[in-house]
Amino acid sequence: MKKALSRLTGNAAVAEPRPAIDYPLPGETVASSSYTVRLSVPGAPERVDLSINRSPWLPCRSAAGCHWYDWSGYTDGKYELIARIPGPDGRWTMTPPLKFTVALKP
């Protein structure tokens, strides 16, 4: 099957487009009471979702060539983000977990 795919694409395999979390950066400390997460997503997926600490998936908005999630109401602590987009076959493509910290100033 890979040989047939190779003949069709000229490559041994075709990688699926993956979303990427641009901000916050891995290991970053967020110190503000609100934060906008920025995601880069190839193509024009029908939706982009974000999960914070394995919460239910939250829809992101599209603007200026990126996808965004406006986040507020959080407390100090360690957090993990995962983003996902639907693939053409209906399966989800996800980012690896991104870990960062919130340390709000009193």
Side-chain angles (χ1 to χ4, degrees), residues 51-83:
S51 176
I52 303 169
N53 286 355
R54 311 259 175 188
S55 70
W57 294 101
L58 305 163
C60 297
R61 63 182 171 85
S62 177
C66 291
H67 284 77
W68 311 84
Y69 182 76
D70 301 311
W71 189 40
S72 61
Y74 45 81
T75 58
D76 289 352
K78 296 191 181 294
Y79 289 87
E80 178 182 88
L81 302 177
I82 300 173

Side-chain angles (χ1 to χ4, degrees), residues 38-56:
R38 187 179 89 180
L39 303 106
S40 294
V41 181
E46 63 188 61
R47 65 187 278 181
V48 177
D49 297 327
L50 184 72
S51 176
I52 303 169
N53 286 355
R54 311 259 175 188
S55 70

Side-chain angles (χ1 to χ4, degrees), residues 8-29:
L8 291 174
T9 64
N11 297 317
V14 177
E16 288 193 29
R18 292 199 167 277
I21 300 170
D22 299 325
Y23 294 100
L25 297 172
E28 182 175 343
T29 298

